[in-house]
Amino acid sequence: LEFLKKKPAGQPFCFWFGAHEPHRPYQFGSGMSVGRKSTAQIDRVPAHWPDTATVRNDLLDYALEVEYFDQQLGRMLDLLQQAGELENTIVLVTSDNGMPFPRAKGTTYELSLHMPLAIRWPAGIVQPGRTVEDYVSFIDIAPTLLDVAGLSAATVGMEPPQGRSLGSIRSE
């Protein structure tokens, strides 16, 4: 809110929000006590983890942290809407490195490589609301933002990026 109040009217802006959630440590049992969830609501535990009450509680605690992040994101979107900035603002949401669980964060297993990425930009996304299954990487974010801003890496003093603009992804 303070950022939006202080930014010059009618000027492009960039705001980076890096949340602590869902990074560890968690308060053990918070998924049940604060999140009001039950371990019975977990439909499956990945086969490479033991299906125990401790693991199920850890999953619920992680889910509570993700839900808290989602609430913060919702508040930011509401503030952008109230400021009249939402419809022409690119909102990019992703995870940085996977769940902090064995065979996930910091590994080359699926749970580390398959992370969320959602992009919202009503004024510029072709066919919004679709799911794209293309393989993308963090190295594609800078080329994408340069592309939609109509800039090149050379124009802004960057070395040529390794990635590709996600603007090239088209629906079938």
Side-chain angles (χ1 to χ4, degrees):
L1 180 59
E2 289 303 312
F3 174 84
L4 287 173
K5 286 179 183 177
K6 292 178 182 176
K7 77 163 202 61
Q11 292 294 310
F13 64 92
C14 177
F15 180 81
W16 183 286
F17 174 73
H20 179 264
E21 296 78 25
H23 292 86
R24 290 189 184 273
Y26 311 139
Q27 180 180 353
F28 183 78
S30 59
M32 289 196 328
S33 63
V34 177
R36 301 179 194 265
K37 301 282 197 277
S38 162
T39 57
Q41 291 175 279
I42 297 173
D43 62 343
R44 69 174 186 82
V45 173
H48 52 269
W49 298 335
D51 191 348
T52 65
T54 300
V55 170
R56 286 177 171 265
N57 267 292
D58 207 21
L59 287 168
L60 288 181
D61 297 347
Y62 173 74
L64 177 68
E65 298 290 322
V66 171
E67 288 172 0
Y68 182 74
F69 171 82
D70 288 350
Q71 291 169 0
Q72 293 178 59
L73 175 60
R75 182 166 180 250
M76 285 184 274
L77 294 173
D78 289 344
L79 291 171
L80 285 168
Q81 178 73 41
Q82 292 167 19
E85 298 283 0
L86 184 59
E87 293 309 306
N88 195 35
T89 296
I90 299 169
V91 178
L92 190 146
V93 181
T94 188
S95 174
D96 62 352
N97 52 20
M99 301 167 61
F101 289 84
R103 290 185 69 165
K105 182 178 183 176
T107 71
T108 57
Y109 292 104
E110 176 67 13
L111 291 177
S112 181
L113 300 174
H114 191 157
M115 291 179 281
L117 171 64
I119 303 173
R120 182 190 192 283
W121 185 30
I125 293 180
V126 178
Q127 295 176 315
R130 63 195 162 99
T131 299
V132 177
E133 299 292 334
D134 295 42
Y135 181 78
V136 299
S137 175
F138 284 138
I139 64 171
D140 299 327
I141 293 174
T144 300
L145 295 176
L146 288 170
D147 182 28
V148 300
L151 300 170
S152 69
T155 305
V156 298
M158 289 175 56
E159 291 293 320
Q162 298 290 313
R164 65 185 171 103
S165 172
L166 301 180
S168 64
I169 295 175
R170 301 289 181 236
S171 179
E172 310 239 328

